Amino acid sequence: MGGGNHDRDACDAAAVAHRQPAATATPLQPAPPPPSPRCHRHRRRVRAGPALDQLALLRKARRPPAGGWRRAVHSLTGGAVNPGQSAAELEYQELLERVRRPVRGDYRIAVLSLKGGVGKTTTAVGLGSTFASLRGDRVIAVDANPDLGTLAQRIPLQTDSTVRDLLADPAIHRYSDVRAHTSQAPSRLEVLASERDPAAAEAFSEDEYRGVMAVLQRYYNIVLTDCGTGLSHSAMRGILDLADALILVSSPALDGARSAGATLDWLAGHGFGHLISRAVVVLSSARPGSSSIDVDQLTQHFLTRCRAVQTIAFDDHLAEGAAIDLDLLGRRTRRGFVELAAVIADDFGGTTLRRQPPFLPD
């Protein structure tokens, strides 16, 4: 029995020794904690992935068709079936996008022809009205014809003011001050009329034209000038010197084509050759029916010198010689003006701002 007590005492002593480690023992370092699952999730988040604008999060809606059987199907099904736009409609939308290109500063277009009666003024009003109706900025046409120009007669007349009245106005400080001297068509195109007295209009000089442009370029993005048939009158040098683009109007006839060619030769010989490569020739049909002239060959002839050639079909509404309403034009004629506007607008992005504030003439 004594041996049993001895064994118990030995066990108790060993237990006490285990509970009280020696002072010289090195303490154990705690083990690093296992990585948290949140760390793995964070590392997964920073992996490169497609940007939101590269993801097809939205289903692009299709425009409803504007006409034809596609429009009929869309209407009969209450919009449940949408065949989408036709190829012709998509092509027209591309034309509109070209017409609506932004322009920096102001863009100046000179519309001229050596031969009268070929549709020069009609082209100026039709193109200006197309720009004004399809764009959101301001468009104005200036009558610089010294021989009793008829530009103001092609839109509803709202004022008797002329270019001279604008120049004589001492209080031009804002757009509304200029607007008091212009007439506006339903298309939003504004027109600044010329003098109604041919003798007074003939005295309209280059300096006066530059003064008019110094005012208009502050308030308008596109400025068209309806020129006279003569190339030697005083204001013509200022018109051509300040122009960004040139529209040469001709009829699809031999005499009209010869006059247009003579105009290009005159420009090349008088220091305005740089306008030829940026010029657009408009073949305006003054009579119904097809011309005996091969229009395709005539087009190729002008394309050897100019940037583009555009045909404007004969239209009964234009032949009236009265105020022009785009809604009354035939489909072919209106499409021709939209195509012409798109061709002109193709040059908007290639221009630089030549004039600095306060927008005085060069």
Side-chain angles (χ1 to χ4, degrees):
M1 294 188 55
N5 291 334
H6 177 75
D7 292 337
R8 285 196 299 272
D9 293 340
C11 289
D12 292 340
V16 172
H18 179 74
R19 287 195 300 268
Q20 295 180 357
T24 58
T26 303
L28 297 177
Q29 299 294 329
S36 171
R38 295 178 60 186
C39 297
H40 293 286
R41 287 199 299 269
H42 180 70
R43 285 197 293 269
R44 282 196 296 268
R45 282 197 208 103
V46 298
R47 291 177 182 174
L52 280 178
D53 56 359
Q54 297 176 347
L55 299 176
L57 299 180
L58 297 176
R59 287 166 43 182
K60 188 175 181 180
R62 303 173 69 184
R63 291 178 178 269
W69 66 266
R70 298 169 181 269
R71 180 67 175 177
V73 170
H74 184 267
S75 300
L76 290 175
T77 60
V81 177
N82 184 5
Q85 295 176 300
S86 65
E89 290 175 328
L90 293 175
E91 181 183 357
Y92 187 72
Q93 289 298 323
E94 292 179 0
L95 279 177
L96 296 183
E97 291 177 3
R98 291 167 59 191
V99 172
R100 291 165 178 161
R101 286 177 177 172
V103 58
R104 185 179 183 185
D106 63 295
Y107 193 86
R108 303 167 182 179
I109 307 168
V111 185
L112 60 88
S113 172
L114 280 184
K115 188 176 184 299
V118 297
K120 173 178 60 63
T121 298
T122 299
T123 300
V125 176
L127 175 62
S129 297
T130 300
F131 271 131
S133 64
L134 298 180
R135 297 174 58 90
D137 43 16
R138 298 170 183 158
V139 183
I140 190 170
V142 181
D143 195 341
N145 194 326
D147 302 318
L148 195 62
T150 60
L151 181 67
Q153 300 175 16
R154 309 307 298 272
I155 70 167
L157 193 63
Q158 296 177 333
T159 178
D160 293 330
S161 290
T162 66
V163 288
R164 285 275 171 71
D165 296 316
L166 177 66
L167 286 175
D169 193 335
I172 301 293
H173 303 297
R174 55 183 63 87
Y175 165 69
S176 59
D177 298 329
V178 181
R179 179 66 181 86
H181 296 282
T182 66
S183 297
Q184 189 176 62
S187 62
R188 292 181 53 253
L189 170 69
E190 295 180 43
V191 166
L192 182 61
S194 64
E195 291 289 341
R196 286 162 178 76
D197 182 2
E202 184 65 38
F204 188 65
S205 66
E206 175 184 350
D207 291 338
E208 289 175 314
Y209 177 79
R210 291 180 180 272
V212 170
M213 296 305 294
V215 175
L216 297 183
Q217 67 183 0
R218 303 180 188 180
Y219 307 105
Y220 296 89
N221 300 87
I222 300 176
V223 182
L224 298 96
T225 300
D226 183 20
C227 307
T229 55
L231 293 174
S232 59
H233 67 83
S234 178
M236 182 58 74
R237 177 162 292 276
I239 293 172
L240 296 176
D241 188 44
L242 296 180
D244 293 306
L246 184 69
I247 294 180
L248 184 58
V249 183
S250 172
S251 60
L254 189 58
D255 58 346
R258 286 173 176 170
S259 296
T263 303
L264 295 176
D265 293 337
W266 186 93
L267 292 171
H270 288 78
F272 300 105
H274 63 283
L275 291 176
I276 297 178
S277 60
R278 299 175 67 177
V280 177
V281 174
V282 172
L283 300 177
S284 178
S285 299
R287 291 184 295 271
S290 58
S291 172
S292 59
I293 299 294
D294 191 331
V295 177
D296 291 336
Q297 287 192 13
L298 189 60
T299 298
Q300 292 303 318
H301 167 73
F302 284 118
L303 284 178
T304 60
R305 306 182 69 179
C306 302
R307 182 165 67 92
V309 178
Q310 178 64 44
T311 301
I312 302 296
F314 171 81
D315 193 279
D316 290 327
H317 176 57
L318 297 180
E320 295 172 354
I324 296 177
D325 187 344
L326 292 180
D327 293 333
L328 299 180
L329 294 179
R331 176 178 295 182
R332 285 185 58 201
T333 306
R334 186 162 187 177
R335 174 64 177 257
F337 279 122
V338 174
E339 292 175 351
L340 175 60
V343 170
I344 297 296
D346 287 340
D347 192 49
F348 286 174
T351 58
T352 57
L353 187 61
R354 301 176 306 170
R355 297 163 289 275
Q356 301 296 330
F359 302 102
L360 296 177
D362 295 338

